[in-house]
Structure formats: C-alpha cells, structure tokens
Amino acid sequence: MSVRLGINPLTWTNDDMPELGGDTPLEHCLAEARQAGFAGVELGYKFPRDVQTLAPLLQTASLALASGWYSSHLLERSVEEEIAALTPHLGLLKALGAKTLVFCDMGRHVYRTRQTPLSHSPLLSETEWRHFTQRLDQVAAYCQAQGVQLAYHHHLGTLIETPAEIERLLSETSSAVGLLLDTGHLSAAGGDPVALYQAHAARIHHVHCKDVRHAVLADARNRDLSFLDAVLNGLFTVPGDGNLAFAPLLAALKKHGYAGWLVVEAEQDPAIAHPLTYARLGHDNLRRLCIEAQLDLAE
C-alpha cells in the first residue's frame, strides 16, 4: 500500500485564468514537474487529448498521468448525454493508466467569474438534489465498469462546496461515487480535512494537497471577494507554506491504508510565485511529512 506524489499544472499555467502562465510551453511544465521530484501530473488545458501525442510527452518527462478534471452538467444533461460527453476523457485516462477521474459539476458555478463573490455559490433545490445524485450514481457506476474510479471534487463556488453538502452527497449516493479530498477547498469552506477523511476513508480515492493562507481567506470573506480575486491575492499555496497542518491528515491516511496519489495543487500567479521554486517546496515538504507519517512512498 503506497502513495505517489503528483502535481497539478496550475503551478505553471492556470486553467481558470489562461492569462496566468499562458506563454509557458507544456514541455516546460512537465520538465520542471519531474525536476522538482514528482512522479506524475494531472491534466491541464494545454495537454493534448489524444494518446499518440500525450504519451510521448509524458514518457520524455518520466511522468505518469495521475488523473484529470472533467466538468459535468448533470442538472442539464441526461445520464446518457453525460456519459457520451465524458467518454473521450475517460478513454484517455484509461489508455494512459490513470485509475481515477476527477469529476466536478459546473451547474451555475461562480468560481470562474471574477465579478461574482463566493457568497453567491449555487444551491440545489430538493428536486435538484434528487436528480443530481441519481444521475451521478449512474455515471459513477459506468466509470467503475470501465475500470476508472470517479472521485467527486468539492470546490468553492460550485454545487458541492460546504461540509454539509459533501455529507449529503455521500449519504445520497452509493459507494460507486468516490470523493476527492481537497485540503484547501475544504478548509476554505469551513471544513476539517482530517475529520472528513476519518469519517469517509473508504470513499476517498484521490487527495489534493493545497495549503491556505488564513489571513487572505479572512480578507476574502470579509470583503466578499470572488474566488479568482482570492486566488490572485494568494489564498492558496503549496503544503508547508500556509497555515494548514498536514501531519494529522497524513497520519490518518497511514492509519486507514490510503493508497493513491497525493497531488500538490497551488493556484497562484506564476509571475509572483516562481513555479519551480514552489513545486520543489511543495514536493519536499510533502515528501518529508509522508516519511514522518511512515507512509510508503512509491518514487
């Protein structure tokens, strides 16, 4: 039972704000990810979406594909329509050996709209909850049948953001619906990553490790800022550079036998937070903490 350390390309180039790192070539991101010590990467918007092109790029950088984000629209689409939409993404993950699909619904989201504060995060009606969870269960079962585990990404500014929403999602779906535990998004939404993991270890199949600067979070809440403005102000950083305590979470992962990816994900402006510097910092801090927690690291 081992864990692997990966990184999201947001460190170099931002999917939500393409102007951040927009001129950085993908090959540069991959080379520096490996240089920083990571074993794998997640997909980003600059990644080619065909195996014949992407596989050699990953092989050249000696990186595995850890996973990749998929944006769903289950409030508007039928199960059949959603499965048809995600099939190319699912096929790419399977072909490149990724075992987990990062899944997040984009219905009425506000996090990519800089003019909309986080206090306007969308809410589901009772009818929408029923439709959403039923459809999600069926899509997740389809992914499992294809050999890939769906891991739902709770995210600020989306339908599933708060601890209460996460609990309801898990209570109203089957075990086919896995969860991605994101330390930064959960903490910023008022949750406790350790408590969530201990309560739902069997459902958590993927972990995003991002740190939070509490002063920036307090300012964003006090001034009712948007998600993107909070990010630009430095809300998130790599593990060990903010105010979250990662050691208790890693101890819980060890206790419950977590085996999967720990992905460093720090949404920052690369012009301010030098990508390779922060990638190395995140890797080295997380690796040290894993060793201290006696987690088996697959290098």
Side-chain angles (χ1 to χ4, degrees):
M1 303 288 281
S2 61
V3 298
R4 304 176 79 185
L5 302 187
I7 192 167
N8 189 286
L10 282 169
T11 299
W12 290 268
T13 179
N14 196 294
D15 286 29
D16 302 326
M17 291 180 282
E19 65 271 22
L20 300 183
D23 58 349
T24 303
L26 174 60
E27 291 82 356
H28 180 81
C29 302
L30 297 177
E32 289 199 341
R34 188 61 189 148
Q35 189 177 347
F38 290 101
V41 291
E42 291 187 332
L43 293 174
Y45 81 96
K46 291 184 178 179
F47 283 59
R49 298 306 170 110
D50 64 279
V51 177
Q52 291 74 19
T53 306
L54 181 54
L57 291 173
L58 294 173
Q59 185 175 15
T60 297
S62 299
L63 292 168
L65 183 63
S67 187
W69 170 289
Y70 172 76
S71 297
S72 72
H73 295 274
L74 284 171
L75 294 181
E76 298 85 31
R77 290 174 179 160
S78 68
V79 171
E80 293 75 19
E81 289 170 334
E82 197 65 73
I83 288 174
L86 69 77
T87 293
H89 182 74
L90 180 64
L92 180 65
L93 295 180
K94 285 179 61 178
L96 291 172
K99 303 299 184 183
T100 306
L101 184 153
V102 175
F103 190 100
C104 184
D105 199 89
M106 301 296 282
R108 302 198 300 271
H109 76 86
V110 301
Y111 82 90
R112 286 180 175 172
T113 306
R114 194 168 176 182
Q115 292 74 32
T116 307
L118 271 173
S119 60
H120 288 59
S121 291
L123 298 173
L124 290 169
S125 68
E126 288 300 314
T127 299
E128 287 173 333
W129 266 109
R130 183 171 64 255
H131 290 164
F132 181 68
T133 53
Q134 288 175 351
R135 293 169 184 171
L136 178 60
D137 239 340
Q138 294 178 66
V139 172
Y142 175 82
C143 291
Q144 271 197 341
Q146 301 300 310
V148 178
Q149 174 65 54
L150 183 151
Y152 196 94
H153 191 337
H154 56 92
H155 195 292
L156 294 174
T158 68
L159 297 174
I160 308 299
E161 172 185 310
T162 68
E165 289 163 346
I166 296 169
E167 290 294 336
R168 182 165 183 178
L169 178 78
L170 294 175
S171 70
E172 296 184 10
T173 56
S174 73
S175 60
V177 177
L179 189 71
L180 181 156
L181 170 58
D182 188 299
T183 58
H185 282 279
L186 182 62
S187 299
D192 179 350
V194 177
L196 180 65
Y197 184 77
Q198 290 176 333
H200 300 290
R203 301 283 292 273
I204 294 172
H205 299 280
H206 205 61
V207 179
H208 278 179
C209 298
K210 60 163 63 77
D211 214 333
V212 175
R213 296 184 175 102
H214 285 166
V216 179
L217 174 61
D219 177 68
R221 293 298 188 188
N222 289 339
R223 294 199 286 140
D224 202 18
L225 300 181
S226 68
F227 174 76
L228 295 182
D229 278 338
V231 167
L232 289 172
N233 289 344
L235 174 62
F236 296 130
T237 185
V238 298
D241 190 50
N243 299 116
L244 299 187
F246 283 86
L249 174 61
L250 296 179
L253 296 177
K254 170 67 176 179
K255 178 179 178 180
H256 292 277
Y258 177 77
W261 288 96
L262 299 177
V263 178
V264 170
E265 188 185 55
E267 296 160 83
Q268 300 187 95
D269 184 346
I272 296 173
H274 184 253
L276 180 56
T277 298
Y278 276 85
R280 281 175 166 159
L281 180 64
H283 173 273
D284 294 350
N285 284 341
L286 192 56
R287 184 177 186 277
R288 172 180 53 80
L289 289 164
C290 285
I291 292 172
E292 291 174 357
Q294 299 183 0
L295 281 164
D296 181 20
L297 270 173
E299 300 291 354

